């Protein structure tokens, strides 16, 4: 009889990929038996988020090394990272990821293919990990900072991109288009509509200890740990997730038709250097909009704000190789 290997916790979003997440987990279960894996599985629900589940796991398991694998999209990853950070457990968690979302920007940047079973085998058989930077965002709506740190693995942003995420998350058409493999149409349709209806305003960007950068008619400011955002747009083509700093992409002073011309270029990272696009890097970032705008972390939208503070937590997350 084989000796059980390391214990794994699986946090599964059964609703990911419009309900295919549960089916995918049942498809990979035989691999866990074949590899003689000791594991426990938890499913997210409307009232039981991945953050809540992660917190409970880490409160009960006080061992020095806890292995958690999330099956879901970038939003599920974001929630797990919240739970790890909120419990102060970055040093003892080794995190793995099985992408089953509609965007999968983290998986795209990590070079994951579409074979979930092959990815799982690699994660189970590898005993090593690499360290990945994590972003920490706080927001301001009045005279002081509000709320604790909102962690993110891929990116955060304020403005047009977050507004699209907010509307898409509440769109009745998203699940339908996801079911027929056309989920990006939801985001595309919303983006085009908002291009011609959104009210733009000025913004100031503070990078580390430098003088502020001033922009008029700002569409969005994205702070990125990885190259991709929004389902495959290569907004920051030089971003690296372990260099101890964040990359920025700021779009400003462009007409709606100009944005439409730039989007195909952004899909392959060729928008850099074009008029109205500013790319930069920093360890600490403050973004101040003249009016409140939606803010997202890994596509998860919680609030509107005028000011956001972002800092890079270098090498904070242990990622299974």
């Amino acid at each position: 009889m084989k000796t059980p290997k390391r214990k794994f916790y699986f946090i599964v979003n059964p609703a990911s990929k419009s309900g295919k997440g549960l089916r995918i987990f049942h498809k990979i279960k035989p691999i866990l038996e074949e590899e003689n894996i000791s594991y426990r599985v938890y499913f997210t629900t409307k009232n039981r988020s991945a953050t809540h589940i992660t917190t409970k796991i880490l409160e009960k398991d006080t061992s020095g090394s806890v292995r958690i694998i999330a099956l879901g999209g970038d939003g599920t990853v974001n929630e797990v990272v919240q739970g790890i950070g909120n419990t102060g457990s970055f040093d003892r968690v080794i995190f793995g990821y099985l992408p089953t979302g509609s965007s999968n920007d983290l998986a795209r940047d990590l070079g994951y293919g579409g074979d979930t079973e092959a990815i799982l085998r690699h994660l189970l058989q590898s005993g090593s990990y690499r360290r990945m930077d994590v972003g920490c965002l706080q927001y301001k709506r009045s005279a002081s900072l509000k709320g604790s740190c909102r962690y993110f693995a891929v990116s955060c942003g304020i403005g047009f991109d977050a507004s699209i995420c907010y509307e898409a998350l509440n769109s009745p058409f998203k699940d339908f288009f996801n079911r027929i493999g056309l989920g990006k149409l939801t985001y595309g349709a919303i983006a085009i509509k908002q291009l011609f209806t959104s009210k733009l305003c000025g913004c100031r960007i503070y990078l580390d200890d430098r003088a502020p950068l001033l922009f008029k008619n700002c569409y969005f400011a994205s702070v990125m740990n990885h190259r991709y955002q929004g389902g495959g747009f290569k907004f920051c083509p030089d971003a690296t997730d372990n260099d101890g700093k964040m990359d920025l992409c700021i779009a400003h002073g462009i007409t709606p038709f100009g944005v439409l011309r730039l989007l195909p270029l952004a899909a392959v990272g060729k928008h850099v250097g074009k008029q109205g696009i500013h790319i930069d890097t920093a360890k600490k970032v403050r973004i101040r909009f003249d009016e409140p705008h939606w803010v997202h972390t890994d596509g998860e939208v919680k609030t509107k704000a005028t000011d956001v503070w972002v800092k890079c937590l270098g090498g904070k997350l242990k990622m299974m190789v």
Side-chain angles (χ1 to χ4, degrees):
M1 184 176 180
K2 293 182 180 179
T3 302
K5 297 180 180 180
R6 295 179 296 270
K7 183 176 182 178
F8 290 82
Y9 293 97
F10 285 83
I11 300 177
V12 177
N13 179 358
S16 61
K17 229 167 189 174
S18 294
K20 294 180 182 178
L22 180 60
R23 192 188 317 161
I24 292 171
F25 177 75
H26 286 303
K27 187 178 179 181
I28 66 173
K29 275 182 68 176
I31 297 176
L32 301 176
E33 306 300 328
E34 177 186 329
E35 297 288 335
N36 198 32
I37 297 298
S38 173
Y39 72 94
R40 291 196 64 179
V41 59
Y42 300 85
F43 296 98
T44 63
T45 64
K46 288 184 178 180
N47 299 319
R48 201 160 173 260
S49 70
T51 298
H52 172 81
I53 294 169
T54 303
T55 300
K56 294 300 180 183
I57 289 172
L58 294 173
E59 287 175 349
K60 291 181 179 180
D61 190 334
T62 57
S63 61
S65 182
V66 181
R67 294 176 180 268
I68 297 176
I69 295 180
L71 189 152
D74 293 328
T76 305
V77 171
N78 181 268
E79 291 184 358
V80 173
V81 172
Q82 298 302 320
I84 297 171
N86 292 346
T87 56
S89 301
F90 280 115
D91 287 339
R92 65 191 189 95
V93 173
I94 302 176
F95 178 62
Y97 171 46
L98 296 174
T100 61
S102 55
S103 296
N104 294 329
D105 287 311
L106 176 59
R108 184 176 287 105
D109 206 32
L110 294 176
Y112 282 13
D115 190 339
T116 307
E117 295 173 66
I119 296 171
L120 177 61
R121 289 187 187 276
H122 282 292
L123 295 182
L124 296 177
Q125 294 170 3
S126 174
S128 59
Y129 62 85
R130 61 185 291 268
R131 288 189 173 270
M132 189 179 86
D133 299 340
V134 173
C136 168
L137 177 145
Q138 290 178 287
Y139 62 91
K140 184 178 181 180
R141 287 190 296 194
S142 55
S144 61
L145 288 173
K146 296 292 183 181
S148 57
C149 178
R150 289 288 308 171
Y151 299 100
F152 61 91
V154 179
S155 67
C156 71
I158 178 171
F160 180 61
D161 56 342
S163 183
I164 294 170
C165 290
Y166 176 79
E167 187 169 344
L169 289 171
N170 295 280
S171 170
F173 303 108
K174 183 181 178 184
D175 284 345
F176 169 74
F177 282 120
N178 277 342
R179 280 195 295 270
I180 62 175
L182 298 173
K184 289 184 180 180
L185 283 182
T186 307
Y187 291 90
I190 292 170
I192 292 172
K193 185 198 76 173
Q194 290 198 8
L195 267 178
F196 294 93
T197 59
S198 296
K199 183 180 179 181
L200 305 181
C201 68
C203 69
R204 296 189 178 203
I205 311 291
Y206 302 81
L207 305 178
D208 295 328
D209 298 320
R210 293 181 249 165
L213 302 171
L214 309 180
F215 300 99
K216 293 181 179 180
N217 297 323
C218 191
Y219 280 94
F220 67 84
S222 289
V223 184
M224 301 183 61
N225 190 32
H226 288 269
R227 295 175 294 171
Y228 297 97
Q229 180 181 279
F233 287 102
K234 205 174 184 179
F235 283 142
C236 289
D238 294 326
T240 305
D241 67 12
N242 60 357
D243 59 357
K245 57 187 178 183
M246 296 286 164
D247 288 58
L248 289 88
C249 179
I250 302 154
H252 64 97
I254 321 170
T255 67
F257 290 105
V259 173
L260 288 175
R261 287 193 295 268
L262 283 173
L263 283 177
L265 298 178
V268 291
K270 299 296 184 182
H271 62 299
V272 178
K274 303 297 182 181
Q275 183 177 358
I277 300 296
H278 182 87
I279 303 292
D280 223 314
T281 61
K283 294 181 179 179
K284 295 184 295 182
V285 181
R286 179 189 177 191
I287 304 169
R288 182 178 179 184
F289 270 57
D290 292 344
E291 297 179 12
H293 279 69
W294 288 111
V295 180
H296 83 87
T297 51
D298 294 333
E300 298 296 294
V301 184
K302 301 294 183 182
T303 187
K304 281 186 174 181
T306 53
D307 285 12
V308 294
W309 278 257
V310 185
K311 61 183 176 181
C312 180
L313 307 178
K316 201 69 172 175
L317 184 64
K318 298 177 181 178
M319 286 287 297
M320 294 180 196
V321 177

